[in-house]
Amino acid sequence: MTYKEKKAQLLTKTNKIYKTIENLLQNDQNHLIFSISNRKQIENIKNISEKILKKVNSEEFEIAIVGLEKAGKSTFANALIKRDILPTAPERCTFKSTKLVKS
């Protein structure tokens, strides 16, 4: 399955979950179906679904590469993105958080 197919599948599934939850909460405005704690859990799932939808639609992802000093994190990141963007050296050379943005 291609990336675009997986993305479309995830968007369809998450949209369905989000809309179902939204309908459930709208139909229970008088709090007759769900207890307060259940309603909070359902609202939390709705918020998570909304965040997933936004991230997948924007194609913006955050990846943390964590390791000891001189463990090859920059080298790994360069290999991951298939470009030599981050500096690498025998001594310590990248010691800050770095954000790469596709233009």
Side-chain angles (χ1 to χ4, degrees):
M1 187 180 293
T2 67
Y3 169 78
K4 286 184 179 184
E5 291 169 332
K6 287 180 183 181
K7 178 182 172 183
Q9 189 178 45
L10 177 62
L11 283 171
T12 301
K13 186 176 181 179
T14 308
N15 258 322
K16 191 181 233 183
I17 291 169
Y18 182 80
K19 287 179 181 179
T20 301
I21 292 170
E22 201 169 45
N23 287 335
L24 285 170
L25 292 172
Q26 281 181 341
N27 289 328
D28 189 37
Q29 289 180 353
N30 296 326
H31 305 284
L32 299 175
I33 301 171
F34 303 112
S35 68
I36 292 173
S37 73
N38 284 342
R39 187 173 182 87
K40 285 181 182 178
Q41 290 175 332
I42 292 168
E43 287 171 348
N44 187 40
I45 293 168
K46 179 185 170 198
N47 291 336
I48 291 168
S49 298
E50 188 174 28
K51 286 178 185 177
I52 291 170
L53 286 169
K54 284 180 182 177
K55 283 199 177 230
V56 172
N57 277 320
S58 72
E59 294 191 359
E60 182 178 309
F61 299 93
E62 295 176 21
I63 300 171
I65 302 173
V66 182
L68 297 173
E69 189 175 304
K70 295 302 307 155
K73 298 176 294 294
S74 295
T75 303
F76 173 74
N78 284 335
L80 185 66
I81 60 176
K82 298 178 182 174
R83 299 185 94 189
D84 286 329
I85 294 174
L86 297 172
T88 57
E91 67 279 346
R92 180 176 163 191
C93 65
T94 53
F95 49 90
K96 293 182 180 180
S97 295
T98 305
K99 181 177 183 177
L100 301 177
V101 179
K102 183 180 177 183
S103 56

